[in-house]
Amino acid sequence: MKSSLCVMKFGGTSVGDATCIRRAAEIVKAAAAKQPVVAVVSAMSGVTNRLIEAARHAEAGEEKNLHSLIEALREQHETAAKGLINDATKRKAIVAACAATLEELTRLLHGTALLRELTPRALDAISGIGERLSAPLVAAAITALGLQSEPVSATEIIVTDAHHGRAEPLMPETRKRAESGLRPMLKNGIVPVVTGFIAATADGVPTTLGRGGSDYSATILGAALGADETIIWTDVDGVKTADPRLVPEARMLPEISYNEAAELAYFGAKVLHPNTLRPVTAAGVPVWIRNSFEPEKPGTKISAAGKSARNGVKALTAIRDVTLVTVGGPGIVGLTDVLARSFAATSATRANVLFVTQSSSQNDICFVIERADEKRTVAALNEAFAPEIAEHTVEHILADRNVAIVAAVGENMRGTPGVAGRMFGALGREGISIIAIAQGSSEFNISCVVEASAMQRAVRALHAEFALA
Ligand code: ADP
Ligand code: ASP
Ligand code: MG
């Protein structure tokens, strides 16, 4: 059902301390004067990383740092509460709720340390604590500005499959719960502040949507409630022609298409979680990327149309922390099912395959996966090809971590001859050797694998070649 509604998500830096949270609350207040608003919030910046680090320490049985870590989290959130909430009773209630959540974290970490085992399910429960700590603070800040607001745990609303660490939403059930859980609040003029990143299975087991997943939470809720738009408030002015940390002169793009944004996100542009556009693309609901530190700026509009770029290449992206996996050896020429078996293995481990190439002689199949998927995937491949490895038909399954993917993205690349030539010419002049190349038939992107140490130089050279600044 379509209704006048805006979903707005605030990322980690946008809720990084009391001042940022107040600024976010003011943005919500201004928007809520025009239409109902659902806020979605990330953990305060740095918190998710620290939670994951704590989980890894616990897994290794190193319990001595856990206490200081939990105290640091307590301090961070209590300081924010002091800066935001003047009413002593309300502040006490928030601090008590924070203490209860940290108590749960303590138990989860001690349990992990005791077992010396960190299951994906336990990691989800631990890494999702940050959003449960930040949402009550943001709701309190909105309340302090004179609006009605309440924190809502997304575990009650977003229902996912049980794929811990990278769960996918089950939309029919999520829609039902959003209708019953959030719609009445909106009708009563209450701003729900929903925890990003986390969700739960139909049985209530906590899951997460993957790192950076609060963006995805926002569009899932937007789609579930039939919102008119989703705004992702972050720490940059919008989507740029390249990651500004790699290319300082990168330029703001006022408009891009769903396809372009999806390609950029898929190939590592951290400004958007890779799945963010999935829930809203079919309905054509626009997504805005805007700077919470400078809310007067218009930001980037992501919609079906986008806007074309002169030379076809609109933006560049690069991704490191990936592994190039090669299944190879002269003996695999005759193995007709080698592709099927390789991808059955990546599919079983649900590895994110970013890039695939195969040489015509079939001596080597190589694909790039996220580093986090490497261990499980290489083990699965070794198992899948165990008989051939024993007989030396398959000679090696190699994992090379010293690589990065660099990709050029733009809808107009289709039908613009010479883009690939210019791309490889520019990299050649820079002395960067290309390890592998891929271009999808959609021609929205051309990507290549280079040595990790050449990644930044490659992006800068291409930025200059296509005059993107
Ligand atoms: P948040 O905490 O708000 O979710 P993120 O750190 O996840 O913010 O994403 C914003 C960051 O994404 C920016 O600070 C920027 O460094 C990075 N980024 C990478 N590629 C791009 C790009 N093409 N345009 C804008 N920002 C980008
Ligand atoms: N807090 C989570 C993370 O750091 C989710 C997010 O920020 O979007 O990955
Ligand atoms: Mg993010």
Side-chain angles (χ1 to χ4, degrees), residues 242-249 317-320 455-456 459-460:
D243 184 343
R245 283 176 295 196
L246 292 178
V247 185
E249 68 274 20
T317 181
I319 182 166
R320 50 185 138 211
M455 183 182 89
Q456 181 160 22
V459 176
R460 286 186 173 172

Side-chain angles (χ1 to χ4, degrees), residues 415-433:
T416 308
V419 174
R422 281 177 71 186
M423 186 165 169
F424 303 130
L427 294 179
R429 282 192 297 282
E430 217 17 70
I432 296 167
S433 66

Side-chain angles (χ1 to χ4, degrees), residues 9 11 42 212 215 234 270-273:
K9 173 255 171 178
S42 293
D215 303 329
T234 182
K270 197 184 166 220
V271 67
L272 274 180
H273 179 281

Side-chain angles (χ1 to χ4, degrees), residues 23 27 233 237 288 290-299:
R23 198 180 297 118
I27 291 172
W233 292 99
D237 291 349
W288 292 86
R290 298 182 62 181
N291 191 341
S292 73
F293 295 83
E294 295 182 76
E296 62 292 345
K297 291 191 173 168

Side-chain angles (χ1 to χ4, degrees), residues 239-242 253 256 264 312-317 407-410 413 468:
V239 178
K240 298 193 165 191
T241 49
L253 293 164
I256 58 171
L264 287 174
V313 175
K314 200 155 176 185
L316 302 166
T317 181
V409 170
M413 281 165 44
L468 296 179

Side-chain angles (χ1 to χ4, degrees), residues 5 46 51 68 72 113 123 157 160 172 184 221 230 248 261 263 276 283 300 332 392 437 451 468:
L5 171 71
L51 289 166
S68 59
L123 182 59
I157 310 284
T160 66
L221 292 175
T230 301
E263 294 283 350
T276 311
T300 299
I332 68 168
H392 302 284
I437 301 167
E451 271 187 21
L468 296 179

Side-chain angles (χ1 to χ4, degrees), residues 186-254:
L186 295 167
K187 285 202 173 127
N188 289 323
I190 300 167
V191 178
V193 178
V194 186
T195 53
F197 182 50
I198 63 174
T201 63
D203 305 334
V205 177
T207 55
T208 64
L209 305 173
R211 292 307 307 272
S214 300
D215 303 329
Y216 197 17
S217 310
T219 50
I220 291 169
L221 292 175
L225 290 163
D228 313 83
E229 59 178 6
T230 301
I231 306 178
I232 312 262
W233 292 99
T234 182
D235 59 2
V236 272
D237 291 349
V239 178
K240 298 193 165 191
T241 49
D243 184 343
R245 283 176 295 196
L246 292 178
V247 185
E249 68 274 20
R251 187 174 47 83
M252 251 290 293
L253 293 164

